[in-house]
C-alpha cells in the first residue's frame, strides 16, 4: 500500500469520525434538555466540524485536482465513509433507520464519553506523527477532546448516580453501545500500514488507558461496565449500519440539490 494512499485513508478515517459524530450531535441543537447544555453540545459539535475540516483540507491538498473539503463531506456515499459505526447510530436505543424522534440524552452522552475517552490518548500520541500537518491537527484537537471527555464524564456520573430512572437509562445506553467499541481495537489494513510508516498510532495499544478511564468513571457513576462482546462492526472498511445513509441524506441534501452553489 503506497504511503500517500495510506495517509489519505488514515486522514479520512479521522475526519469521517469527527464529521459523522458532529452531525449526530447537531440534532440536539435547539432541543437540548436545558439551554446551557444545548449550547455546550453545539460548541462541541463545532469543535468536531473544525477537526473534520482540517483533516479534509489536508486530504484535498494531497489529492489535488477538484477535491475540496466540501466534496469530501458532501459528495461521497456511505460506503466511502470510514468512520466507526458507533458514531453513526441514532441518539436512542436500537431502532430502524427511518424512525424519527425519541432521542435519548443518556445515549448521546454515553457515546461521547466512550469516543472522547479514546480520542484523548489518540490525539496525544498523534502529536508525534511523522506527518507534521497531522501532528499539528492532533495538538489542537487534544485540547478540545479533553474538554469533551470532562463534559461527558460529568454527565455520566450525574445521571448514573442520579435517580432510579436516570441510572437505568444510562446503564441501558452503555449496554447498547459498548459492543460497538470493539471496532476501536480491530485494526484495518490502512491503520496497520500507517503505524508502520510512523504516521499513525497503534490504537489497540491504547486500550488499557481507555479501559481504565471507562472503569473509573462508571464506578463513580455506580454503573457496571457492560460487555463488549458480539459482532465486530466494520465501518472503517465501508460496511455501515442502515443509519448512515439516512444521516448523510440529511447532511448532504442541500449541497447535492445545488452543486457548486455559494452564499
Amino acid at each position: 500500500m503506497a504511503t500517500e494512499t495510506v495517509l489519505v485513508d488514515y486522514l479520512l478515517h479521522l475526519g469521517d469520525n469527527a464529521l459523522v459524530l458532529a452531525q449526530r450531535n447537531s440534532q440536539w441543537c435547539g432541543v437540548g434538555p436545558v439551554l446551557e447544555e444545548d449550547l455546550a453540545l453545539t460548541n462541541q459539535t463545532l469543535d468536531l466540524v473544525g477537526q473534520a475540516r482540517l483533516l479534509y483540507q489536508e486530504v484535498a491538498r494531497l489529492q489535488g485536482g477538484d477535491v475540496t473539503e466540501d466534496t469530501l463531506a458532501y459528495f461521497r456515499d456511505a460506503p466511502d465513509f470510514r468512520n466507526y459505526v458507533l458514531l453513526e447510530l441514532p441518539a436512542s436505543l436500537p431502532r430502524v433507520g427511518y424512525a424519527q424522534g425519541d432521542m435519548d440524552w443518556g445515549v448521546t452522552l454515553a457515546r461521547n464519553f466512550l469516543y472522547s475517552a479514546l480520542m484523548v490518548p489518540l490525539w496525544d500520541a498523534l502529536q508525534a506523527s511523522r506527518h507534521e500537518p497531522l501532528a499539528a491537527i492532533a495538538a489542537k484537537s487534544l485540547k478540545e477532546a479533553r474538554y469533551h471527555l470532562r463534559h461527558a464524564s460529568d454527565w455520566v456520573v450525574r445521571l448514573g448516580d442520579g435517580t432510579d430512572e436516570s441510572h437505568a437509562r444510562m446503564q441501558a445506553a452503555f449496554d447498547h453501545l459498548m459492543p460497538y467499541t470493539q471496532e476501536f481495537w480491530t485494526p484495518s489494513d490502512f491503520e496497520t500500514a500507517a503505524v508502520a510508516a510512523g504516521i499513525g498510532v497503534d490504537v489497540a495499544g491504547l486500550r488499557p488507558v481507555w479501559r481504565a478511564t471507562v472503569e473509573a468513571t462508571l464506578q463513580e457513576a455506580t454503573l457496571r461496565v457492560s460487555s463488549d462482546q458480539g459482532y465486530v462492526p466494520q465501518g472503517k472498511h465501508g460496511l455501515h449500519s442502515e443509519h448512515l445513509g439516512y444521516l448523510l441524506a440529511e447532511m448532504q441534501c442541500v449541497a447535492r440539490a445545488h452543486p457548486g452553489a455559494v452564499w
Side-chain angles (χ1 to χ4, degrees), residues 14 16-17 20 61 91 112-113 115 118 129 139 146 158 161 166-167 174 176 185 187 241 253 263:
L14 295 171
D16 291 345
N17 281 340
V20 168
R61 188 188 69 80
N112 287 353
F113 168 71
Y115 177 67
L118 171 69
S129 172
R146 282 173 173 158
R158 185 183 303 180
D161 195 23
S166 70
H167 177 90
F174 280 106
H176 168 47
W185 326 118
S241 70
C253 65
W263 291 100

Side-chain angles (χ1 to χ4, degrees), residues 23-217:
Q23 181 65 17
R24 270 297 175 218
N25 283 344
S26 73
Q27 293 176 325
W28 282 101
C29 184
V31 296
V34 293
L35 179 58
E36 184 176 8
E37 289 306 316
D38 194 316
L39 295 173
L41 197 59
T42 299
N43 283 329
Q44 293 179 51
T45 296
L46 291 174
D47 290 342
L48 293 168
V49 170
Q51 293 170 17
R53 288 194 63 194
L54 292 172
L55 292 158
Y56 288 159
Q57 287 168 3
E58 181 58 12
V59 172
R61 188 188 69 80
L62 292 166
Q63 293 191 320
D66 296 331
V67 178
T68 68
E69 59 184 280
D70 290 334
T71 62
L72 293 169
Y74 296 127
F75 293 95
R76 286 187 296 147
D77 297 322
D80 301 322
F81 275 72
R82 305 177 189 284
N83 58 279
Y84 296 127
V85 170
L86 170 72
L87 308 178
E88 70 201 37
L89 300 176
S92 66
L93 295 178
R95 70 182 189 193
V96 295
Y98 55 79
Q100 300 292 321
D102 298 329
M103 290 199 301
D104 190 312
W105 185 246
V107 172
T108 295
L109 272 298
R111 171 174 37 210
N112 287 353
F113 168 71
L114 294 172
Y115 177 67
S116 57
L118 171 69
M119 294 312 294
V120 167
L122 181 58
W123 286 130
D124 189 22
L126 280 174
Q127 292 181 106
S129 172
R130 290 179 60 185
H131 188 65
E132 292 183 3
L134 176 56
I137 294 170
K140 176 183 181 299
S141 302
L142 176 59
K143 300 172 186 174
E144 298 167 344
R146 282 173 173 158
Y147 167 67
H148 300 174
L149 177 59
R150 185 166 66 250
H151 177 267
S153 299
D154 288 347
W155 269 103
V156 167
V157 172
R158 185 183 303 180
L159 294 175
D161 195 23
T163 65
D164 290 344
E165 180 179 357
S166 70
H167 177 90
R169 291 176 67 169
M170 284 307 300
Q171 190 63 65
F174 280 106
D175 290 348
H176 168 47
L177 296 176
M178 189 67 85
Y180 291 92
T181 64
Q182 286 194 91
E183 190 176 6
F184 294 171
W185 326 118
T186 308
S188 59
D189 290 344
F190 67 82
E191 286 178 298
T192 301
V195 173
I199 297 168
V201 171
D202 177 15
V203 178
L206 304 176
R207 189 170 189 173
V209 175
W210 178 87
R211 185 80 181 184
T213 301
V214 170
E215 289 181 349
T217 303

